[in-house]
Amino acid sequence: MSSRIKIEVSAGGVVYQCRNKKPEVVLCRHKTFRNQEVWSLPKGWVEPTEKIEEAALREVKEEAGLEGEILEKIDTIHYWFYHPLEKVKVKKKVHFFLIKAIDGDITKHDFETEEVRWFPVKEALKFCAYKGEKGVLKKAKTKLILLCKDTSDNL
């Protein structure tokens, strides 16, 4: 007795650092079910015992190798996709947070991620494969520019 629709809840973040008063964000390169390489924001499932914020920080650590501090929630996106291995349609909800990178190493990511790279926001918008995630990046862009100017000016 298998359901034709599966519901998933994930969490992740726009992880940033300031470099020369300009924000850079992390994107992770991975392969899709169709073996296509894509760049996306770090995100993943919320475990049954986790709070959404805890899941976002854990997924950033696993997928991007970075530890961070959540500043605020950016957005929640919804989308559908077909999972060919499970042969079900998936209704997905992903909560995204603005996360300041405070420690870690982008080369220390898990096996699901092929590569992690820092991108200027404008470049990240070009590389990011998913429309919903591009929308999240656009919402974070102005805030990131202000944060990096404020952070740099106060040093």
Side-chain angles (χ1 to χ4, degrees):
M1 178 167 72
S2 69
S3 174
R4 305 303 314 157
I5 295 176
K6 181 178 178 182
I7 296 172
E8 291 183 0
V9 178
S10 291
V14 174
V15 183
Y16 81 96
Q17 68 179 4
C18 298
R19 183 174 298 200
N20 299 323
K21 296 188 180 186
K22 293 186 177 158
E24 292 182 333
V25 296
V26 159
L27 291 180
C28 302
R29 183 171 56 84
H30 61 92
K31 289 188 179 177
T32 66
F33 295 120
R34 295 184 180 108
N35 212 29
Q36 178 185 15
E37 289 194 347
V38 295
W39 288 94
S40 65
L41 295 170
K43 65 187 173 302
W45 290 332
V46 177
E47 299 293 338
T49 59
E50 280 182 311
K51 292 181 179 171
I52 293 168
E53 295 84 356
E54 293 169 338
L57 292 173
R58 177 184 51 75
E59 286 293 340
V60 164
K61 176 71 174 162
E62 289 175 8
E63 290 198 355
L66 297 170
E67 300 206 23
E69 172 188 346
I70 292 177
L71 299 186
E72 64 187 55
K73 186 164 187 178
I74 301 170
D75 201 2
T76 300
I77 62 172
H78 303 83
Y79 56 92
W80 289 84
F81 68 94
Y82 180 73
H83 193 300
L85 302 175
E86 296 181 18
K87 295 183 168 61
V88 296
K89 277 184 79 172
V90 179
K91 183 179 182 181
K92 184 104 169 182
K93 179 194 297 190
V94 187
H95 303 272
F96 283 103
F97 297 88
L98 184 61
I99 300 175
K100 181 178 183 178
I102 55 174
D103 200 9
D105 179 344
I106 61 171
T107 66
K108 306 283 189 221
H109 55 78
D110 69 8
F111 67 94
E112 294 176 3
T113 305
E114 307 246 338
E115 178 185 3
V116 178
R117 198 184 302 169
W118 288 103
F119 290 89
V121 178
K122 188 175 179 180
E123 195 176 338
L125 283 163
K126 291 178 187 171
F127 274 83
C128 189
Y130 302 115
K131 182 181 175 183
E133 292 185 19
K134 284 184 183 199
V136 170
L137 280 168
K138 285 177 186 174
K139 285 184 178 183
K141 184 178 176 182
T142 302
K143 178 81 172 179
L144 288 170
I145 290 167
L146 292 173
L147 282 168
C148 287
K149 283 184 179 179
D150 288 346
T151 300
S152 298
D153 291 343
N154 291 331
L155 293 179

